[in-house]
Amino acid sequence: MDIQEKKMGELTGYQLGVIGALFLSVASSVSIVICNKALMTNLGFPFATTLTSWHLMVTYCTLHVAQRLNFFENKRIDMKTVILFGILNGVSIGFLNLSLGFNSIGFYQMTKLAIIPFTVLLETLFLKKQFSQKIKLSLFLLLLGVGIASVTDLQLNFVGTVLSLLAIATTCVGQILTNTIQKRLNVSSTQLLYQSAPFQAAILFVTGPLVDQYLTKQNVFAFKYSPLVLGFIILSCVIAVSVNFSTFLVIGKTSPVTYQVLGHLKTCLVLGFGYTLLHDPFTEKNIIGILVAIVGMGLYSYFCTHENKKKQMVDLSPSSQIKDKDSNTPLLGHQEKENHFEAKKAAKDSLV
């Protein structure tokens, strides 16, 4: 009975942690989108890639202070793994921005929608992860709804299509590795972000001004920074600390697919806030799309919760407890072995 109560307590604590991570991710992401929209649209600061490098530098500095104050313990990770992981994430951000620059907004939205099915494909092929038909159906409804709500025009060109494919590939692999590295090396989201943020910031700090100048025909260093612009940049960097932290936290506690589903929830919220706060144009098509997407998200959440409860019932069954008692291995240790086994299979196919 004590074992069962202990397991129930661990599961409850884990679920509360997941809910907290999801809420933090949604709140911070919607906040930074609104802040950046005001900065770029209203104040005319168009340097998105360079701004992202500043976000990551501020994130690293904040985590460095937190680590010095003993808010978390620094755990050394293999330098080659960290460097390649950091570079991959930095490159994926660059490709996403280039994709937006070379494609229509509609095709860029399609690129973001393609990340979920591509992630499902990669996890199925290389990590042997199984997705039920119900989960796939809910994801299809979600993507259909977001597509209806956000995709407008579709204009194809060869360079833009190649950049979009590279953006999809690097983003999916980066997010899968964010989850796999945390479990394989038994590091927290904070520890992984602290180790990799300098390399992500460095590659974007070098390439960002070049990418932005090519896309905007303006020089970030020649821009006239008014006090209001500087204020919004600082606010954006402060919010970005929470965004980056919650991103690693959500992917580590859930999965890359769940993180992408959460991202499309943010898209719907941003569309809604844009209409109510910024008076953006809103049509029946947007409303129908958002409603379909919400149904898809609700079904995804319900099916995931239902399947997780089934797994928990198996873990809490008497036969499972007897097996645990005989092996004298705690539940967490068993899970880490499974995660290590899955990561070992994926390691030879990953960049790390």
Side-chain angles (χ1 to χ4, degrees), residues 63-93:
L63 290 178
H64 185 68
V65 172
Q67 192 271 326
R68 288 289 184 179
L69 294 174
N70 296 320
F71 281 99
F72 70 94
E73 181 183 352
N74 183 26
K75 184 174 182 178
R76 301 302 301 175
I77 306 174
D78 175 62
M79 188 57 65
K80 181 182 176 183
T81 299
V82 172
I83 292 174
L84 289 176
F85 175 73
I87 291 174
L88 178 66
N89 277 290
V91 167
S92 72
I93 294 170

Side-chain angles (χ1 to χ4, degrees), residues 329-343:
T329 304
L331 178 64
L332 184 60
H334 178 66
Q335 187 175 358
E336 285 175 355
K337 284 183 180 179
E338 289 182 346
N339 291 334
H340 180 72
F341 177 68
E342 290 181 359

